[in-house]
């Protein structure tokens, strides 16, 4: 590594093969993941792991993006999803404050929810849910089909 170069965060993912199907617009949910990962990279400490985890909880698929950054100022966990909200940090790029508002709109349109919470020991978890895909009878769709 050349002098002065920094080590970027590392991304790790955990997605079980048995995760149920969800009915989504892939480009839009891809945008949600891109926005959450860009925020995690921008706010994480160099060399720390950013994790993506997906799992089933009841009739929802839950996706968590976790970082090891400064976390969220207490009481601002909902406000960060407002349009034009930005978290100021001296050495971090400042965006337009639309990324999380866009994520919230996309997830809500898919019938899910999104929220953020501080991690014990530092950092933040950004969590969103998507309803499990069901067939015309309302029964869960078999992911093995």
């Amino acid at each position: 590594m050349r002098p002065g170069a920094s080590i970027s965060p590392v991304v790790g993912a955990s997605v079980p093969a048995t995760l149920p199907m969800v009915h989504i617009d892939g480009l839009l949910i891809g945008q949600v993941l891109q926005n959450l990962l860009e925020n995690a990279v921008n706010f994480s400490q160099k060399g720390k792991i950013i994790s993506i985890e997906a799992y089933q909880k009841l009739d929802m698929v839950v996706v968590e993006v976790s970082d090891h950054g400064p976390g969220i100022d207490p009481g601002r966990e909902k406000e960060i999803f407002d349009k034009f909200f930005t978290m100021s940090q001296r050495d971090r790029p400042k965006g337009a404050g639309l990324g999380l508002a866009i994520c919230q709109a996309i997830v809500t349109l898919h019938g899910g929810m999104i929220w953020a919470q501080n991690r014990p020991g530092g950092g933040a978890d950004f969590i969103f849910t998507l309803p499990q895909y069901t067939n015309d009878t309302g029964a869960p769709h078999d992911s093995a089909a």
Side-chain angles (χ1 to χ4, degrees):
M1 184 179 328
R2 70 185 198 294
S6 61
I7 300 171
S8 297
V10 178
V11 177
S14 172
V15 180
T18 58
L19 196 64
M21 295 178 62
V22 291
H23 186 74
I24 61 168
D25 179 310
L27 289 174
L28 291 177
I29 296 301
Q31 184 66 54
V32 170
L33 288 169
Q34 179 179 337
N35 288 357
L36 295 178
L37 285 169
E38 284 179 1
N39 283 350
V41 167
N42 287 337
F43 286 97
S44 277
Q45 297 174 16
K46 302 291 184 202
K48 294 290 185 173
I49 294 176
I50 296 169
S51 64
I52 304 170
E53 183 179 4
Y55 55 91
Q56 180 180 3
K57 186 171 184 179
L58 302 174
D59 62 346
M60 302 298 274
V61 169
V62 181
V63 180
E64 295 186 21
V65 177
S66 303
D67 67 44
H68 293 278
I72 304 159
D73 292 337
R76 300 191 101 172
E77 293 88 349
K78 291 181 183 176
E79 182 182 9
I80 62 173
F81 291 96
D82 291 346
K83 288 182 197 171
F84 308 116
F85 179 87
T86 58
M87 289 182 56
S88 60
Q89 214 175 359
R90 257 191 330 226
D91 59 344
R92 304 288 184 214
K94 186 171 180 169
L98 292 173
L100 291 177
I102 290 169
C103 290
Q104 184 174 47
I106 292 170
V107 169
T108 300
L109 285 171
H110 281 81
M113 295 174 44
I114 187 169
W115 66 94
Q117 60 193 31
N118 284 314
R119 296 173 47 88
D125 293 323
F126 286 82
I127 305 162
F128 68 93
T129 62
L130 297 167
Q132 180 179 333
Y133 177 71
T134 57
N135 62 25
D136 292 337
T137 66
H141 186 343
D142 181 5
S143 62

